[in-house]
Amino acid sequence: MSKTLMVARREFLATVLTKGFLLGILLPPIIMAVALTLVPLLMNAAAPKTTGTIAVIDRSGLVEDALRVSLNSDAFQARRAKKMEKAQQKIRSGGINLPSDPRAEAIQKNLASGGPSLSVIILPRDADPEKEKQPILSARVRDGDDASRSQRVALVVIPEGAVRMPAPVGADKEPAFEHYQLLTAPKLDIEVQQDISEEVDHAIVDARLTAASLDPKAVRQLTTTPVTDTLVITPEGERTDNPVTAMLLPAGFMILLWISVLVGGQGLLMSTVEEKSSRVMEVLLSAVSPMQLMVGKILGQMGVAAAIMSLYSLSGIGALVFFSQSHLLDPMLLVYTAIYFVIAFFLMASMMAAIGSAVNDIREAQMLMQPIMIVMVIPMVLWLPISRNPNGMFAQITSFVPPISPFVMVVRLAGSEKIPFWQVPVSIAIGVASMIFMAWAAAKIFRIGVLMYGKPPNLKTLIRWVRMA
Amino acid sequence: MPDAITIRNLTKTFGPKVAVKNLDLSVPQGSLCGFIGPNGAGKTTTIRMIMSIIFPDSGELSVLGKASAIESKDRIGYLPEERGVYRKMRVLPFLTYMARLKGLDAGAAKRKSLDWLGRMGLGDVARKRCEELSKGMQQKVQFISAVIHEPDLLILDEVFSGLDPVNRRLMRELIEEQHKSGRTIVFSTHAMYEAEQLCDRVFMIHRGVKVLDDTLADIRARFDPKTIVVEPLNTGETAVQRRFPDIESTLRSFPGVSHVERDRDGFSLGVAEGAEPSRLMAELAAAIPGGVRRIELKRVNLEDVFIDLVQSTAGQHVDRADLRNPAAEEEPAHV
């Protein structure tokens, strides 16, 4: 094994085999997985079971029959089942196939039985709302099974004028329907509240239509259109565009690249500063040349960054396969990402090696890091405008400006819009050229910097070192 | 026998500062050379150039027959002045890593590391992290890493700094042992005592210029002070006051004594031109009233030579205490 590779191996193992690194790298995906599987379960379990009665005072007498049907517990449960079905359909039409999971079905069944168990009481038309709302005060909506089925949890008061247009009060006023009142117990499940008010709205509108001698069913049919997917016409054919995946995929690739490059670069900085401050540097230089040491360290940290990258991207690809979305991934995209990763990493690592070799401790490094961090924030800020308009002037220019060009190119390539092909080799060529230049400059700074102690250099001194020797 | 290190006309500047100027130096193979000089004289710079860690502005340099130490790095053992260990690394992996970087294969690296740890009495710390070791133990580990690959040439920069007397002695023994097994050794130091004890050759640079380059025997001959030190037997407070004036006047008129200097315990006498020191000493011993506790022909010591050279070239004041007291040396050990 050559000395450079030996240095690389130690660098890799020394970084990877620390508790901090393992936790930092493995914890986020684990937390994510736990969050994705556990949180919906918890949310479903947390939906309170509501038991009791809904009292209705319908002064018009035209709405109560409809409400007697739509506000009882069977109707509530039917609506919930329908909602869930709709949501799943929406996910499927969004291009994501949820695998049929027996657990999910079990949850659904469980949900159905645990839904609100409510009944309707139609009070006399002339009942006094002030008196009828008193029973609500003694309701215990959160007690679930213990609660009495006869407790009153809500009171709906529908005035005559809500259904039949009242005569205008003044000559200059437009005639308007009156509004109804919904009085509920505190802490009543928000979903139940929404459900009640939706159904009352519905019943009142139907009653108005009927009063106007119109068929509510026919009117509803006439006033709605089914939702359709937008079709994108391309020379290759028609396809449904999925804006979510089209935006998320480029962002995913860029963030992956960004995180792995930054973690690897940071590791290189830390280990170089440590070697310098613990004075092990010159001991190493008695066995290897500064160039061997620097290149070995960069390769070792590149291994670290590549490990992070493959760990995360493999889990990402796994997720895409799991949701049957692997067609979104172009194998060439992975190849390009690998190329741009090498360019981005080498640029970053050269800068970090140079800085790490020039300073005495990590605090001094922060000062020199500032300009680099500002540059590194740019791709994060530009991600949205670039992925929205991958062929805009701005996106095209930044594709050729290292060190942000690899990030910009990955966003553009992962997006759905085709980019002019010549830009890929040109940006790679510029990237490789700048990578060689940076490595050369860093090697010069490294050679001088590793044995310099005392006042930390500023940017001007670093440039002088590059021009020296 | 060819020289292990040959340096011709070597010059190195750092900006306006000339660190080493027109330096010529030969280190014969198998020799044990001390490299001395005051702080900032250019010792470490010279050693770093020999090791090809930094490069000279001009001049020629050859190490073990190669134009650069890079080509013979695996045959050189180097213990830098700025030395340290990976704090978080365990001792055995650290030594094996260093040994492998110096060209040993994995098996030999481990075996030799364990051998050396055992010899140094560090067998039980092999599994410990380097940061858990005491300073002296770390120094030993660093020494092992410098010699583990059995180099032909051993360069030790400020090897005695930061060591207590016990470890200084241990280090001296280790250097002697390495020398006996035929290695060429160059060590830089401020510790004149150690240099005198160990070296067969000494070179000294001051302000980047070589001011001394000779064998220890030649240095002693060249800088022979021709001085006899006399300590009279009666040295009580009252005795000094009462009797010494008599002795001093006796000495001043004594044939063969050129001059007399009085110090705390006795006198230093200059041996006059043409006088025979051994006969003079016998005559003096017999002539001093009350007898003598000690009479000796003063031997030059390296410390005097060092200070003479520094002061004659620069008029610079050197505190002798700095040279004797290890704690007052240039810098603390960087561990």
Side-chain angles (χ1 to χ4, degrees), chain A residues 271-329:
Chain A
S271 82
T272 311
V273 170
E274 195 222 320
E275 273 163 12
K276 225 187 132 174
S277 65
S278 71
R279 318 269 163 166
V280 81
M281 194 59 101
E282 202 171 345
V283 177
L284 292 175
L285 290 183
S286 72
V288 296
S289 71
M291 194 66 184
Q292 282 173 322
L293 182 62
M294 191 184 95
V295 173
K297 289 174 73 64
I298 290 179
L299 287 181
Q301 291 292 346
M302 190 151 106
V304 175
I308 299 171
M309 182 112 170
S310 16
L311 181 76
Y312 281 19
S313 59
L314 279 179
S315 43
I317 292 170
L320 283 179
V321 172
F322 188 66
F323 291 118
S324 318
Q325 292 293 300
S326 48
H327 62 273
L328 284 172
L329 266 185

Side-chain angles (χ1 to χ4, degrees), chain A residues 173-411:
Chain A
K173 287 259 176 77
E174 283 283 315
F177 286 112
E178 281 177 45
H179 58 79
Y180 67 89
Q181 271 185 307
L182 173 58
L183 310 158
T184 70
K187 298 178 191 167
L188 180 66
D189 183 14
I190 187 83
E191 216 174 325
V192 174
Q193 274 186 48
Q194 277 174 354
D195 229 354
I196 295 172
S197 71
E198 255 171 48
E199 286 314 311
V200 175
D201 283 349
H202 218 111
I204 289 175
V205 171
D206 281 5
R208 286 176 193 163
L209 289 172
T210 316
S213 328
L214 293 167
D215 178 8
K217 215 171 171 183
V219 171
R220 208 165 298 135
Q221 274 174 346
L222 287 169
T223 52
T224 49
T225 51
V227 183
T228 58
D229 287 330
T230 315
L231 281 179
V232 181
I233 314 295
T234 64
E236 291 85 38
E238 296 172 6
R239 60 182 162 81
T240 56
D241 213 9
N242 186 334
V244 178
T245 39
M247 296 287 269
L248 283 184
L249 201 64
F253 267 92
M254 196 206 69
I255 290 171
L256 197 61
L257 192 67
W258 197 82
I259 287 178
S260 52
V261 164
L262 221 64
V263 169
Q266 192 79 17
L268 189 68
L269 180 76
M270 302 286 274
S271 82
T272 311
V273 170
E274 195 222 320
E275 273 163 12
K276 225 187 132 174
S277 65
S278 71
R279 318 269 163 166
V280 81
M281 194 59 101
E282 202 171 345
V283 177
L284 292 175
L285 290 183
S286 72
V288 296
S289 71
M291 194 66 184
Q292 282 173 322
L293 182 62
M294 191 184 95
V295 173
K297 289 174 73 64
I298 290 179
L299 287 181
Q301 291 292 346
M302 190 151 106
V304 175
I308 299 171
M309 182 112 170
S310 16
L311 181 76
Y312 281 19
S313 59
L314 279 179
S315 43
I317 292 170
L320 283 179
V321 172
F322 188 66
F323 291 118
S324 318
Q325 292 293 300
S326 48
H327 62 273
L328 284 172
L329 266 185
D330 178 2
M332 270 319 277
L333 179 60
L334 295 178
V335 175
Y336 287 138
T337 307
I339 295 172
Y340 284 115
F341 163 73
V342 172
I343 295 173
F345 184 82
F346 249 86
L347 283 171
M348 185 72 176
S350 305
M351 289 189 277
M352 292 297 180
I355 290 176
S357 69
V359 299
N360 302 302
D361 57 42
I362 207 78
R363 225 187 31 222
E364 288 171 9
Q366 304 291 352
M367 295 284 293
L368 286 167
M369 285 272 291
Q370 267 170 15
I372 295 180
M373 287 319 291
I374 289 170
V375 172
M376 285 300 285
V377 170
I378 295 174
M380 281 306 213
V381 178
L382 294 185
W383 156 67
L384 201 63
I386 289 173
S387 61
R388 258 195 202 148
N389 189 5
N391 283 322
M393 176 72 98
F394 194 74
Q396 298 208 27
I397 290 172
T398 46
S399 296
F400 304 109
V401 182
I404 55 171
S405 50
F407 302 99
V408 175
M409 282 306 281
V410 164
V411 171

